[in-house]
Amino acid sequence: MFYGYTGTILRVNLTNGKISKEALDKKMAEDFVGGRGLASRLLCEEIDPQIEALSPENPLIFGTGPLTGTGAPATARYVVVCKAPLTGTIACSNSGGFFGPEIKFAGYDALIIEGESPEPVYLWIKDERVEIRPARVLWGKFPSETESSLQKLTHPSAKIACIGPGGEKLSLMSGIVNDNYRIAARSGVGALMGKKKLKAIAVRGTGGINLADTEEFWKASMDMHAKITGDPVSFGSFRAYGTTSLVNLINEMGAYPTRNFKSDTFEGAANTSGEAIAEEILERNRACFACPISCTRVTEVKKGPYKGRGEGPEYESTWALGALCGVSNLEAVAKANYLCGDYGIDTISTGATIACAMELFESGALTEKEIGFPLNFGDEAAMVRAVEMIGEREGFGDILADGSYRLAERYGHPELFMGAKKLEMSAYSPRVFQGMALQYATSNRGACHVRGNTVAAELYGVPRYMPPEVLEQKEEMVRRPFQNSTAFVDSSGICLFTKFAITHREICALLTPATGIDFNFDRSIVQGDRIWNLERMFNLRAGFTAADDKLPARVSEPSPDGPRAGSRAILQNHLQTYYQLRGWDTEGRPTPSKLEELGLEDWWNVCREHD
Amino acid sequence: MFVESMINITVKLSIDLRCYRPSLKINESMSIAVPDDTTLLELLTNILQIPAHAVAIPIVNGEKCKLEQSLKKDDQVAFWPPMGGG
Ligand code: SF4
């Protein structure tokens, strides 16, 4: 009998139409928690990491956490795990909304989708009944139309995850959109769904989730609710302005990367800030399943060339489509953000790729003839046009649709790719936040902020303040309270944005009565470490080495202007200290004793192969 | 006679703190003259009359500071409430 977990994994093979159900391995659940950890462990069982990412051998795994759908605060999350089409690393993209909980209500901890269908299909899951159905009529549709059509075809309350035209056309920046506007965005997971010709998954679940100790669970849940609603961040600036509350602050610190990371201060930040969104386009807040924070913004541009409606832009989106492209027109940024939602493409990679193209254009490496129009920094109309072309893979958009790493390489300027392991960096300058520099370089899915957002410590003081420029002890800070901790939180099913109000202790206080398994603080630290190391081993086996733990040369050069002029990312000596703290050798490989300590010794041979 | 010299600084208020100077535009700074040994805490409580507990992140010239810090000529001060996100 399982509690918290449903105990069942659904396996669907799109090549032969076979649908089967498997029991969850309890030991595996205890070791890898759920969500990101469990789905990554399942992936390692399914494939050799050396396979081609866009191939029928690469499964798409949708995972939920033991807390997903339980109704405790912010228990909304699901993850998508596979070998990443954009990067070739392990991918784990995460999203909220209502889709994840619905998978649990239908009776599944995870869905493993394997093979490839010859024709467009969608998956219809109504509790234990599962069908693969034709989706020709849905192909080409935006997520909003897909969702309303599917709710007519299946059940009015069905929850939908789907790809947009970006995923259908295998854009390596495409994600998977659920509940209309939420998106598991990064690493190109949408392209794999498109390759499988799987337009959507519709789920209707009518079951509940068994809890091991209901009374204790709801006590812990009430306690967490009180902490969140009593917290000045979660229930203050973050609720009032969402993630974009940070725009002016990060810019004030001279840490807001601008024009493809040429500088760290943007003169137009105020126009595209959270305050401007609230004054000009905000309609109301929206919450994910059971979330008291409701950080999501429903917005509308009512008239003019950039008319549109949707969710966001979030902090990273307003930055990538704004400052990074030198664009300070909020309506244009909002429109580009809506278009990314319609096409189902990642706003960060999309903005970063356009910014890279702008620099290539201004430096003469790319011509107007190739693009079809001039693409200068600050040209908002050209930026919006480029987003559309990426979504449609139209004209030059066909080249842009595969991200900035491939773009910069193709035009002979690999140094203009601003990321690590083929994934573009996000909106915190690594020249200023030394913790983020190390995090971007070592993150298992490439340069990403949500694998260990050290800005919490380097600015807000959570869990404790460490000034951004300080180097001492940053390796340990990146490793444990950020990377390992985030791996654990992402595996539980609870939203990472609760972290300002709560710690692992509160999450464990929910997990134990939910599952009947003893979760505690010390074990959670080991679980996070285990998940991180598993992901690292996947990447090593896929061919990555210590040489890939690096940042673009540009951010090691001094920041040219702004309040932090002269600051630069310093990585060199820190990597070795970081490897050592992780129990890795000088080549960044987990040592046999480290793997044994974490129960990952089956991976020894992978280490040896690289000797 | 001992005369305190005055220095000019600029101040920005963000997010909820904007309610203390509603006429300021988003991210607009106001210039004010203060005695040259004024601390950030004095600036907040005595001059701007904003309760110190409303401010979690004081930034001077791009760096997060303690409220005990004294102001210098041409300092660019920005106050933020408790913040998080990302
Ligand atoms: S904090 Fe925001 S993203 Fe997280 S569950 Fe709540 S509404 Fe969703």
Side-chain angles (χ1 to χ4, degrees), chain A residues 445-562:
Chain A
R445 72 169 186 182
C448 134
H449 61 295
V450 281
R451 283 293 172 278
N453 194 335
T454 62
V455 175
E458 297 182 287
L459 178 54
Y460 331 127
V462 177
R464 71 187 170 87
Y465 182 56
M466 289 181 91
E469 66 281 1
V470 166
L471 296 167
E472 289 74 45
Q473 295 178 21
K474 282 277 163 80
E475 304 90 349
E476 179 58 4
M477 179 192 85
V478 168
R479 182 187 78 94
R480 215 196 65 137
F482 286 94
Q483 291 182 337
N484 287 358
S485 166
T486 304
F488 171 75
V489 177
D490 285 346
S491 301
S492 71
I494 211 161
C495 180
L496 192 59
F497 287 158
T498 54
K499 69 177 175 213
F500 300 105
I502 62 160
T503 68
H504 284 204
R505 287 181 211 284
E506 284 81 5
I507 297 177
C508 290
L510 281 175
L511 279 167
T512 302
T515 60
I517 298 166
D518 177 26
F519 280 93
N520 59 54
F521 186 81
D522 294 340
R523 286 186 65 189
S524 73
I525 295 297
V526 179
Q527 283 155 334
D529 200 16
R530 181 179 295 125
I531 295 163
W532 192 272
N533 276 275
L534 179 79
E535 293 172 336
R536 177 78 178 184
M537 294 309 295
F538 182 100
N539 288 349
L540 291 176
R541 172 75 187 165
F544 289 86
T545 67
D548 297 299
D549 295 336
K550 63 164 195 237
L551 292 174
R554 171 170 287 174
V555 298
S556 306
E557 301 292 325
S559 188
D561 48 24

Side-chain angles (χ1 to χ4, degrees), chain A residues 1-38:
Chain A
M1 176 78 183
F2 276 94
Y3 300 99
Y5 304 94
T6 64
T8 305
I9 293 169
L10 176 65
R11 182 183 292 272
V12 177
N13 186 310
L14 295 175
T15 305
N16 59 22
K18 197 166 164 263
I19 292 165
S20 56
K21 287 165 198 171
E22 294 161 15
L24 173 68
D25 177 336
K26 195 159 187 180
K27 169 83 170 59
M28 200 191 275
E30 283 187 27
D31 287 347
F32 294 91
V33 188
R36 172 173 158 192
L38 184 65

Side-chain angles (χ1 to χ4, degrees), chain A residues 232-233 237-238 241 243 245-246 248-249 252-253 270 273 275-276 279 316 428 449 453 459-460 465 500 563-564, chain B residues 12-16 18 24 26-28 56-57 59 61-65 76-78 80-86:
Chain A
V233 175
S237 58
F238 190 59
Y241 293 91
T243 51
S245 57
L246 294 179
N248 285 326
L249 174 57
E252 184 76 27
M253 293 187 69
S273 64
E275 291 97 318
E279 276 178 18
E316 298 294 339
Y428 305 99
H449 61 295
N453 194 335
L459 178 54
Y460 331 127
Y465 182 56
F500 300 105
R564 299 272 178 162
Chain B
K12 283 184 196 172
L13 299 173
S14 290
I15 307 291
D16 297 341
R18 292 180 67 215
L24 285 181
I26 297 166
N27 218 30
E28 187 184 321
I57 306 179
I59 305 262
N61 307 326
E63 295 202 20
K64 185 176 168 180
C65 301
Q76 298 181 357
V77 182
W80 259 272
M83 296 287 289

